[in-house]
């Protein structure tokens, strides 16, 4: 009797000590178009004390939603990518240039790997830039074209194309050197509680990933899979637009898209995913 | 005509005679439901794809009626038996009268 009682107790303890996420996270592997292998689980980067392992948000979605991302034909985010492919070769602005006049045809692969290192220190500007800010500088300085809204459809499509070009390459943003100050500012924002609900990013995405919230599973809040086609919006959603939504959900007043605060936060959150494959355009609910 | 409408279809290039294949179709379309209002409170008129058909060598395979609650960029996947080499013809009918077509040939091999 005593023996059985003891094993039963040990079993209960083992369940209590299991990581919160394991119960609700899929055991699955992502290969897109039967070709591109995506790393959805990786050892946590050295700077991150909270986890041993980092996970793509893909693992927290239902089987049906995960399947949509396995084939580019099924993935509605590819509509945005295709539209950006047309924009890539379209001449715009007073300089009479298209993206391809400087960066070559997409097939040349000059943009491969670019997404994985953004946000990135820009030496000329003396600050950290997101990919979107860099694209706009191309437009205004080199093409003589109008800047796109940072959260506009054209911009998000182009950002999705940059993700598409780097799919499968591990995220690898630099957090040292000149970017360090911005990274630390981002880290501070990540752990600061905002809004009436007094929630920091970490309260959900670190303490409770895998748990239910608002009839959905919380992920670790990784940015490797953005822009993401959200089925509920039927549109591609940019990283900073998602940040805005998160702060709104805390009943706080969000920072502006493109603000120094969100750029710092984007760098910090991206660094938490160093090692996961670039996955955009992804599909989420 | 609704903006940015572009049909796309994925059909295997060849199949064994009598084989059942999976066909995937997607048309980029806003699918305005007719139930939303603009800033001034006026109803935004319905503008959707209301019918989709697929024919194989002139014989109908599927004929789908789409209603206003179907989401943006409707994706339709179905199976079809391929008795012989031939041509699949896909047709989407828009509320505004536009008809979009795509054709895919399939070989037996």
């Amino acid at each position: 009797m005593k023996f059985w009682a003891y094993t039963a107790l040990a079993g209960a303890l083992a369940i209590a000590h299991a990581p919160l996420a394991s119960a609700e996270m899929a055991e699955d592997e992502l290969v897109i178009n039967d070709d591109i292998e995506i790393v959805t689980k990786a050892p946590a980067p050295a700077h991150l004390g909270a986890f041993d392992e980092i996970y793509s948000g893909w693992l927290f979605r239902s089987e049906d939603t995960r399947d949509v991302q396995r084939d580019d034909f099924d993935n509605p985010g590819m509509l945005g990518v295709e539209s950006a492919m047309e924009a890539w070769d379209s001449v715009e602005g007073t300089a009479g240039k298209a993206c391809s006049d400087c960066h070559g045809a997409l097939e040349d692969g000059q943009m491969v790997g670019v997404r994985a290192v953004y946000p990135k220190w820009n030496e000329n500007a003396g600050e950290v830039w997101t990919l979107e800010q860099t694209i706009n500088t191309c437009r205004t300085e080199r093409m003589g074209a109008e800047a796109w809204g940072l959260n506009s459809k054209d911009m998000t499509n182009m950002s999705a194309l940059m993700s598409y070009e780097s799919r499968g390459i591990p995220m690898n943003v630099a957090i040292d050197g000149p970017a360090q100050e911005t990274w630390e500012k981002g880290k501070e924002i990540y752990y600061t509680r905002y809004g009436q609900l007094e929630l920091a990013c970490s309260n959900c995405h670190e303490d409770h990933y895998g748990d239910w919230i608002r009839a959905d599973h919380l992920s670790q809040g990784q940015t490797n899979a953005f822009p993401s086609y959200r089925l509920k919006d039927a549109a591609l959603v940019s990283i900073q637009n998602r940040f805005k939504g998160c702060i709104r959900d805390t009943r706080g007043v969000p920072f502006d898209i493109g603000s120094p605060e969100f750029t710092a936060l984007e760098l910090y959150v991206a660094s938490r995913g160093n090692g996961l494959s670039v996955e955009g355009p992804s599909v989420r609910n | 005509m609704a903006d940015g409408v572009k049909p796309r279809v994925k059909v295997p290039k060849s199949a064994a005679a009598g084989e059942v294949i999976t066909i995937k179709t997607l048309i980029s379309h806003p699918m305005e439901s007719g139930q939303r209002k603009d800033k001034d409170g006026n109803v935004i008129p319905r503008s959707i794809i209301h019918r989709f058909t697929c024919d194989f060598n002139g014989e109908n395979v599927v004929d789908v009626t789409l209603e206003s609650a179907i989401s943006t960029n409707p994706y339709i996947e179905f199976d079809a038996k391929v008795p012989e080499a031939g041509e699949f013809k896909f047709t989407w009918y828009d509320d505004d009268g536009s008809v979009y077509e795509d054709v895919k040939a399939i070989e037996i091999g």
Side-chain angles (χ1 to χ4, degrees), chain A residues 71-135:
Chain A
D71 185 346
D72 278 346
F73 188 90
D74 300 12
N75 182 343
M78 287 302 296
L79 296 170
V81 170
E82 283 170 24
S83 137
M85 284 172 169
E86 280 170 29
W88 184 262
D89 294 321
S90 306
V91 173
E92 229 187 305
T94 52
K97 280 184 182 174
C99 305
S100 54
D101 285 318
C102 292
H103 298 289
L106 289 164
E107 298 77 47
D108 297 347
Q110 286 192 42
M111 304 317 284
V112 173
V114 171
R115 166 94 262 173
V117 297
Y118 270 87
K120 185 182 162 188
W121 178 258
N122 184 294
E123 197 57 53
N124 292 334
E127 59 183 10
V128 170
W129 275 7
T130 61
L131 190 55
E132 285 82 356
Q133 286 165 319
T134 311
I135 291 169

Side-chain angles (χ1 to χ4, degrees), chain A residues 36-39 163 166-170 277-279:
Chain A
I36 308 164
E37 286 181 26
I38 300 291
V39 175
S163 293
S166 294
R167 259 189 335 191
I169 293 173
S277 297
V278 173
E279 199 188 300

Side-chain angles (χ1 to χ4, degrees), chain B:
Chain B
M1 187 174 140
D3 285 340
V5 180
K6 190 177 161 194
R8 57 201 75 201
V9 178
K10 193 176 179 182
V11 179
K13 286 197 169 58
S14 69
E19 189 184 341
V20 176
I21 58 159
T22 298
I23 294 173
K24 296 175 172 183
T25 75
L26 188 151
I27 186 162
S28 50
H29 194 282
M31 297 291 276
E32 185 59 54
S33 70
Q35 310 207 19
R36 303 198 303 163
K37 287 177 179 168
D38 64 16
K39 281 179 191 151
D40 303 322
N42 304 313
V43 172
I44 305 171
R46 190 182 99 159
S47 174
I48 66 167
I49 299 285
H50 62 264
R51 184 179 175 211
F52 165 74
T53 62
C54 170
D55 298 303
F56 181 71
N57 289 348
E59 189 190 344
N60 184 252
V61 180
V62 287
D63 191 337
V64 183
T65 304
L66 288 87
E67 302 287 354
S68 60
I70 290 173
S71 73
T72 305
N73 309 329
Y75 171 89
I76 299 173
E77 180 182 318
F78 52 94
D79 291 344
K81 198 178 213 173
V82 186
E84 63 206 16
E87 211 172 59
F88 282 102
K89 187 182 172 203
F90 305 89
T91 316
W92 292 260
Y93 298 86
D94 197 312
D95 272 352
D96 65 13
S98 310
V99 175
Y100 316 102
E101 286 179 347
D102 202 350
V103 171
K104 293 280 172 190
I106 188 163
E107 291 168 7
I108 297 296

